[in-house]
Amino acid sequence: MANYNVNSSSTNTNSKEYNEHNVSPYGDGLSSTKSRLNSPLIGDGNVIVNSLDGSASSLSSSSADMFNNKNQTKKAMSLPRKDRPQFLILVLLYLIQGIPIGLSFGSIPYILKSSNLSYSQIGIFTLASYPYSFKLIYSPIVDSIFSKKIGRRKSWIIPVQFLSGITLILLGLRIEKLFDDIEKNLYDITFAFFTLILLCATQDIAVDGWALTILSKNALSYASTAQTVGLNIGYFLSFTIFLTFNSPEFANKYLRKIPKDYGLISLKQYLIFWGFFFILITIIITLFVPENPLKENINLKNDDSNKRNDDIELNTMDMNIVPITTANNTDGTNINSTIGHEELSPIESLKAVYKKMYNVVKLHNVKIFIILHLISKIGFQANEAATNLKLLEKGFSKEDLAITVLIDFPFEIIFGYYAGHWSSGVEPLKPWLLAFLGRLIAAFAGQFLIIAFPKSGEINGVYFILVILQHLLGSFMSTIQFVSICAFHTRIADPLIGGTYMTTLNTLSNLGGQWPKLVVLYMIDKLTKGECISADVSAVQTTNPFINEPYYNCNTATLKKQCVDNGGDCISLRDGYYFTNMLCVCIGILTYFLWIKKTAKYLEKLPASAWRVKK
């Protein structure tokens, strides 16, 4: 991109705590689009308007208060007619963002587990989701550097989406070869999807920021609606729909007269189709969608009263400047229009943003909050990371698991709506604390499901309903926690650096749900113990003939197969899932009653000044 300009507004805020819901087979993640990534299912527009606000750092205190008060006291307005085209554009952009996410967080882990990979190997693939946990590192670059000619957000959306399309096509052409030997090519597969998620996370930063300028002020709350609808549709297509039509069993049972050994849609076809679709949408955005349609409409109407003076991106998008200071009236309102400005170089602008992040993390109360984020999800990690995978291992079909996600979908929307209302009171973390206990109960229920799995392998209606109920409980509690913590982030963020502040908090919250997964999945493998013994019960043997073989401890599906292929029988001596899940639940109970509960109550009672960066 040539002719870069630098804008000094703070980093865009990521509102999605991907891996925050249990739809993802390895759990804590993307219904929150999780969501859920699974897609983050975000119910309350109040939370999302603030958390999406990429320019929050430049909003005056009075403007931020105005948004909060209006959102809390007034009913949502209907979407203005003039905003409907832009709203549809946002839905489409979030939808295509959800396509790779649905594959990476949903379908691919199920496919990998169905291919007899160990839990540790599945844990390696979870690294593909890490770009969302480290957006904090590179989001200032996306928010600051752009081509003035192309536009601040389109400068990133256009090339990133085009690269995403090309990556999908190239991956589609190679995917069958990679999956011929998944164990050998696991790192290549992980890197490929890591690249896709990195591109999606970069696009997410730009689209979240664009949502604040492409919609009018009265339609800002619909940015979260576009996000929720788009991400969930994309995730749903790449998870439930893809797994269903990729299944030969489903196609043979319901759609074919002559059975075949492949589904209606292959992963190769799916990737290539969406690769070309990405490129098509990129062309449409490039040629037909202006960077700032609202500003163009204002200029055409010559109506200064419609200008969004409280939106920093509309006022300073075309200026390579930054306010030097701010001043306040006697009533506390902020004066931005009379303050001088200073030209900033790209390096200076980036340094300023990273300095803001550092200043946020240095705050004593933020340090406590960071620790809370990093340890608060340990208690339910084994359940959300491995219960679905364990069901697959036991014989539950991935198509049936995908159906549970389909059933979850309407309930998630309802859960998100009510969770937003419950989190808007004077104790925003009270729902979060109650939902913490609910997720521990869901983890215990997950263990019961595995223990009670039918020995015959035949899934009856009662057991299927129990699986659905356990998923609904986990999703409900996860959604409450997600919305509640977003509401709290919004409440404590310093309006003068709101974008940077909330990006920092949300990124650390995401990381708290990511880092335990690899540890938990590794522990399950290490704590699982099996023994390969001779299948010939009539033979008299003093020693085990397989004791020196690499598959003697047949604790993975691959080793079990090797044992059987060599004339042995693998007996299970210990299942690491049960121990790991109970260990996590016990850690969750202990940390909750000994530290998390009292710390959360302490933090929510702090005054706003306790969260402010000293000038």
Side-chain angles (χ1 to χ4, degrees):
M1 294 176 289
N3 301 322
Y4 290 108
N5 274 6
V6 176
N7 189 293
S8 61
S9 67
S10 72
T11 62
N12 175 274
T13 301
N14 173 28
S15 64
K16 290 174 287 300
E17 193 173 345
Y18 290 103
N19 290 336
E20 186 51 34
H21 303 276
N22 64 325
V23 166
S24 175
Y26 45 79
D28 186 37
L30 242 205
S31 164
S32 247
T33 163
K34 189 224 92 343
S35 144
R36 213 176 253 123
L37 264 203
N38 260 337
S39 139
L41 277 184
I42 304 157
D44 189 15
N46 299 342
V47 174
I48 302 309
V49 168
N50 288 282
S51 65
L52 277 173
D53 190 358
S55 56
S57 63
S58 301
L59 289 176
S60 68
S61 299
S62 60
S63 296
D65 292 338
M66 176 183 69
F67 278 127
N68 289 332
N69 292 334
K70 286 186 176 181
N71 286 331
Q72 293 173 5
T73 61
K74 296 180 69 176
K75 293 183 179 180
M77 300 175 63
S78 61
L79 181 65
R81 184 180 297 272
K82 66 178 180 179
D83 287 293
R84 291 176 185 175
Q86 293 90 279
F87 176 81
L88 291 176
I89 290 169
L90 288 176
V91 170
L92 191 59
L93 290 174
Y94 282 120
L95 185 153
I96 62 177
Q97 185 185 135
I99 296 300
I101 291 171
L103 289 171
S104 300
F105 287 72
S107 298
I108 300 302
Y110 281 174
I111 294 173
L112 294 179
K113 188 56 185 174
S114 299
S115 300
N116 295 327
L117 262 64
S118 67
Y119 289 96
S120 299
Q121 290 170 319
I122 300 293
I124 291 172
F125 184 79
T126 65
L127 297 174
S129 63
Y130 269 60
Y132 272 103
S133 296
F134 293 103
K135 286 171 59 177
L136 178 67
I137 297 174
Y138 58 91
S139 58
I141 299 174
V142 178
D143 270 335
S144 299
I145 300 176
F146 62 95
S147 168
K148 182 177 179 181
K149 182 178 181 181
I150 299 174
R152 182 182 183 189
R153 301 305 178 184
K154 289 176 65 177
S155 293
W156 288 92
I157 292 174
I158 292 171
V160 167
Q161 282 190 182
F162 184 79
L163 286 175
S164 297
I166 295 299
T167 302
L168 283 167
I169 294 172
L170 294 177
L171 181 58
L173 295 174
R174 288 198 61 207
I175 198 67
E176 291 181 349
K177 182 177 180 181
L178 291 173
F179 272 57
D180 283 342
D181 190 343
I182 293 181
E183 287 194 61
K184 178 181 177 181
N185 298 317
L186 178 61
Y187 287 97
D188 290 339
I189 295 171
T190 301
F191 178 76
F193 281 94
F194 179 92
T195 302
L196 274 177
I197 296 302
L198 177 62
L199 292 170
C200 284
T202 305
Q203 186 218 28
D204 180 58
I205 297 168
V207 174
D208 282 354
W210 206 19
L212 273 298
T213 59
I214 202 173
L215 295 174
S216 66
K217 176 181 174 181
N218 290 335
L220 278 180
S221 62
Y222 283 89
S224 63
T225 304
Q227 180 189 73
T228 300
V229 172
L231 283 170
N232 277 281
I233 291 176
Y235 190 90
F236 177 72
L237 288 172
S238 285
F239 186 26
T240 305
I241 297 298
F242 171 73
L243 282 183
T244 299
F245 288 96
N246 180 252
S247 167
E249 292 81 7
F250 176 85
N252 293 336
K253 184 175 181 180
Y254 297 106
L255 303 174
R256 288 175 177 154
K257 293 182 179 180
I258 302 176
K260 298 180 180 179
D261 60 355
Y262 53 87
L264 294 178
I265 302 174
S266 69
L267 183 56
K268 174 182 178 180
Q269 293 169 332
Y270 191 81
L271 290 169
I272 293 175
F273 169 81
W274 283 107
F276 282 109
F277 191 85
F278 266 66
I279 294 173
L280 175 63
I281 297 303
T282 304
I283 293 173
I284 293 174
I285 294 294
T286 303
L287 299 179
F288 302 109
V289 182
E291 169 76 15
N292 195 344
L294 289 175
K295 188 174 181 181
E296 291 194 0
N297 291 336
I298 291 172
N299 291 335
L300 289 174
K301 294 179 181 180
N302 195 27
D303 183 3
D304 291 339
S305 65
N306 290 326
K307 291 183 179 180
R308 293 161 57 192
N309 292 321
D310 54 326
D311 189 338
I312 191 65
E313 290 194 354
L314 280 183
N315 292 330
T316 64
M317 182 181 297
D318 296 327
M319 297 184 293
N320 184 26
I321 55 179
V322 61
I324 298 175
T325 60
T326 56
N328 292 325
N329 286 322
T330 56
D331 61 358
T333 59
N334 191 263
I335 309 170
N336 284 323
S337 58
T338 60
I339 304 302
H341 292 84
E342 178 185 11
E343 192 83 12
L344 285 183
S345 68
I347 300 300
E348 290 172 337
S349 178
L350 289 176
K351 284 182 178 179
V353 175
Y354 286 119
K355 184 177 180 180
K356 290 178 185 178
M357 293 180 181
Y358 177 69
N359 289 336
V360 169
V361 174
K362 280 199 311 180
L363 293 173
H364 174 71
N365 293 315
V366 171
K367 291 178 181 178
I368 297 175
F369 198 28
I370 290 173
I371 297 174
L372 183 70
H373 272 313
L374 293 179
I375 70 170
S376 62
K377 296 172 186 174
I378 295 175
F380 18 88
Q381 273 301 306
N383 172 57
E384 298 182 357
T387 295
N388 283 350
L389 297 177
K390 180 59 70 172
L391 285 172
L392 286 175
E393 183 182 296
K394 291 280 188 177
F396 205 92
S397 73
K398 59 180 182 293
E399 295 79 28
D400 287 340
L401 275 177
I403 290 174
T404 64
V405 179
L406 173 61
I407 296 173
D408 274 352
F409 185 75
F411 288 99
E412 283 289 343
I413 297 175
I414 298 172
F415 296 161
Y417 173 79
Y418 285 105
H421 286 274
W422 296 336
S423 302
S424 59
V426 295
E427 296 179 297
L429 291 181
K430 183 177 181 179
W432 185 87
L433 288 170
L434 293 174
F436 185 101
L437 296 176
R439 287 175 88 172
L440 292 178
I441 294 173
F444 186 81
Q447 180 128 335
F448 169 78
L449 282 179
I450 303 303
I451 294 173
F453 193 90
K455 293 182 179 180
S456 65
E458 295 293 329
I459 307 300
N460 55 41
V462 174
Y463 189 83
F464 189 74
I465 291 174
L466 289 176
V467 172
I468 292 173
L469 291 176
Q470 192 267 347
H471 277 74
L472 286 176
L473 175 62
S475 295
F476 185 27
M477 297 303 166
S478 183
T479 300
I480 291 175
Q481 279 207 304
F482 172 71
V483 176
S484 179
I485 206 68
C486 281
F488 187 66
H489 288 175
T490 302
R491 178 172 297 193
I492 67 176
D494 187 342
L496 295 179
I497 54 170
T500 300
Y501 208 117
M502 292 188 62
T503 298
T504 303
L505 294 178
N506 286 331
T507 299
L508 292 168
S509 178
N510 291 342
L511 183 60
Q514 287 290 336
W515 75 263
K517 287 180 187 175
L518 191 59
V519 177
V520 164
L521 293 172
Y522 178 80
M523 283 182 60
I524 292 175
D525 271 348
K526 288 302 177 182
L527 294 175
T528 297
K529 186 175 182 180
E531 183 177 345
C532 184
I533 63 174
S534 175
D536 186 0
V537 295
S538 63
V540 179
Q541 298 171 342
T542 57
T543 60
N544 190 322
F546 304 113
I547 194 170
N548 295 318
E549 299 296 336
Y551 49 82
Y552 171 68
N553 180 20
C554 47
N555 60 341
T556 68
T558 300
L559 294 176
K560 288 178 183 178
K561 185 176 183 303
Q562 291 178 7
C563 173
V564 173
D565 289 344
N566 286 276
D569 184 17
C570 183
I571 59 173
S572 178
L573 301 179
R574 183 178 64 224
D575 191 331
Y577 166 81
Y578 300 119
F579 180 84
T580 304
N581 190 39
M582 281 298 97
L583 176 63
C584 288
V585 171
C586 290
I587 291 174
I589 293 173
L590 288 174
T591 55
Y592 177 85
F593 287 104
L594 294 179
W595 190 76
I596 290 176
K597 182 179 180 180
K598 65 180 181 181
T599 301
K601 288 185 174 296
Y602 161 77
L603 293 175
E604 70 179 359
K605 291 179 181 178
L606 291 173
S609 59
W611 301 96
R612 298 295 181 257
V613 174
K614 305 300 181 182
K615 302 298 186 291

